[in-house]
Amino acid sequence: MKNIAAFIDINAGKLSSRSASIIHLIQGFQQVSETPIKVDLYVFSPIDQIEIPTVSSVSLHEIVNLNDSGILSKNQMDTIISKFSSEAYDILLGYKSTLVDSIMARASAELKLPLIPQIVSINLAPSEMMIKQSIFSGKALSNLKIGYASVLQLNPSFAYKPLHESLMKVESVKLTLPNSTSFSVSTINKVPQGANLGDANYVVGAGRGLKDPSNWGMIEELAAKLGAATACSKPVSDINWRPHSEHVGQTGIKIAPKLYIACGISGAIQHLAGVNGSKTIVVINNDPEAPFFKYADYGIVGDVFDVIPEIVKNL
Ligand SMILES: Cc1cc2nc3c(=O)[nH]c(=O)nc-3n(C[C@H](O)[C@H](O)[C@H](O)COP(=O)(O)OP(=O)(O)OC[C@H]3O[C@@H](n4cnc5c(N)ncnc54)[C@H](O)[C@@H]3O)c2cc1C
């Protein structure tokens, strides 16, 4: 029997599109498995009940509410890992995020399961998986054949086609984490409201070309008009102009929206590593030689302080 734990996101009471891909992958596991599989879903936002597409013989065991404070104390992490050990999972599944990554890394060590990062596609056979991984900051892909027991970290561009569309209701079960914390907080960055960056279809990113944090009003206005999430380059979050939750790139969040608008960002290779999964890239930069233009589908050579208000006015 395969014993699976998966991290999913719920947006406005519905499975996010990437979580739907996780459920479809679980259906795929069931299709190739000769024995029944047991699935526990873990979600960070409080929910009562959701509908999940599944095939009838998958038993969706429980949904555990974790508190999404963005960081887990040692005690909280210990509680989660001891739950994972007692359930003896063979497969852990989740999209890359700071919280999920921290749990996956610890679980991989404790459950003695290999951690496979940056997965862009999986093909399933009865006794092994053929995995494609993004490597060298997204510049190359590597192929890996591996048995099922593993911790699978999915890239934002990962998608798995649905096999079935029938629905099943799932009850939520609460895992209570200890309140005690073993860290102190020195600064708190306000996370802007709006679309979830990792899951967003439209993203407006801005860099040092914005000159000052007080100039982000027009970026937020453009994002609000498009229903987009906001992102930034690393130096912008390093100097606290924007929260670290918005930092995209090699060392930040990897995004794969339908549209990425990059404003006043040079297009350094480390930034591109996080955004090159975007379907359409629009670059606004006043330097015609900015490297980002080489990777843009559409480029506007101009001053962000002229171009963005003009776009906002016309939307
Ligand atoms: C190990 C390592 C990891 C890194 N990881 C990341 C990462 O994950 N993400 C990341 O982003 N960076 C990362 N970096 C940093 C990266 O190399 C670049 O330094 C960074 O992306 C540059 O940020 P920027 O484009 O905002 O700033 P700059 O390089 O200063 O570029 C600003 C751009 O704005 C343009 N501009 C200026 N004024 C205007 C205007 N008025 N109108 C229009 N355009 C204007 C300029 O022409 C310029 O192209 C990493 C670096 C290292 C060494």
Side-chain angles (χ1 to χ4, degrees):
M1 168 152 130
K2 285 192 183 68
N3 212 351
I4 301 176
F7 297 97
I8 59 167
D9 315 309
I10 309 291
N11 291 336
K14 291 213 167 333
L15 265 189
S16 66
S17 56
R18 57 189 205 163
S19 297
S21 255
I22 286 187
I23 301 296
H24 298 142
L25 177 61
I26 292 170
Q27 293 173 336
F29 285 140
Q30 195 214 14
Q31 258 216 337
V32 295
S33 175
E34 283 160 10
T35 51
I37 62 174
K38 175 184 155 242
V39 181
D40 289 356
L41 298 177
Y42 289 80
V43 63
F44 297 109
S45 48
I47 52 161
D48 290 328
Q49 218 181 46
I50 51 163
E51 288 188 335
I52 288 190
T54 185
V55 282
S56 55
S57 55
V58 175
S59 97
L60 287 163
H61 203 69
E62 67 182 35
I63 290 189
V64 180
N65 290 325
L66 303 179
N67 178 23
D68 184 11
S69 55
I71 187 165
L72 293 165
S73 70
K74 184 177 176 308
N75 286 350
Q76 291 172 326
M77 181 68 90
D78 287 347
T79 305
I80 293 171
I81 296 300
S82 92
K83 161 100 179 138
F84 280 22
S85 300
S86 67
E87 297 289 345
Y89 296 125
D90 338 277
I91 300 175
L92 255 69
L93 268 177
Y95 278 86
K96 188 173 166 41
S97 81
T98 311
L99 199 49
V100 169
D101 290 356
S102 64
I103 299 172
M104 281 189 158
R106 173 87 189 273
S108 158
E110 300 279 342
L111 304 180
K112 308 229 174 328
L113 295 171
L115 173 62
I116 319 292
Q118 303 283 12
I119 297 174
V120 294
S121 74
I122 299 182
N123 279 318
L124 304 172
S127 58
E128 60 187 11
M129 296 179 276
M130 274 69 73
I131 289 178
K132 253 192 202 352
Q133 281 178 280
S134 165
I135 55 169
F136 299 132
S137 303
K139 284 198 236 36
L141 293 171
S142 88
N143 293 313
L144 175 73
K145 257 189 200 173
I146 186 166
Y148 275 89
S150 51
V151 177
L152 304 172
Q153 184 211 56
L154 308 174
N155 220 37
S157 60
F158 177 88
Y160 201 87
K161 284 225 177 92
L163 301 172
H164 300 268
E165 289 298 343
S166 56
L167 291 175
M168 182 180 185
K169 290 217 160 148
V170 183
E171 294 285 330
S172 93
V173 178
K174 208 167 186 144
L175 170 71
T176 311
L177 297 180
N179 279 329
S180 66
T181 54
S182 51
F183 54 84
S184 63
V185 177
S186 54
T187 55
I188 297 177
N189 286 325
K190 195 170 152 237
V191 177
Q193 297 298 306
N196 177 325
L197 183 55
D199 207 26
N201 280 329
Y202 308 102
V203 175
V204 181
R208 264 198 303 219
L210 267 285
K211 314 273 192 275
D212 190 87
S214 62
N215 293 326
W216 249 263
M218 63 182 184
I219 298 294
E220 284 170 350
E221 214 181 329
L222 175 59
K225 288 245 175 178
L226 296 171
T230 48
C232 69
S233 64
K234 181 174 183 295
V236 160
S237 63
D238 284 348
I239 50 180
N240 279 325
W241 285 5
R242 298 296 289 175
H244 278 283
S245 56
E246 285 192 10
H247 157 201
V248 290
Q250 179 187 329
T251 46
I253 297 174
K254 314 265 185 297
I255 57 171
K258 287 183 185 156
L259 174 66
Y260 179 52
I261 305 179
C263 313
I265 300 178
S266 57
I269 199 79
Q270 295 89 353
H271 184 81
L272 292 167
V275 303
N276 57 11
S278 310
K279 244 191 182 131
T280 302
I281 296 179
V282 177
V283 169
I284 306 168
N285 198 303
N286 63 359
D287 175 6
E289 300 298 321
F292 221 151
F293 283 124
K294 283 195 211 120
Y295 305 91
D297 298 286
Y298 300 95
I300 302 173
V301 179
D303 191 316
V304 284
F305 298 101
D306 298 330
V307 176
I308 296 172
E310 198 58 33
I311 297 175
V312 169
K313 207 166 74 190
N314 284 285
L315 280 174

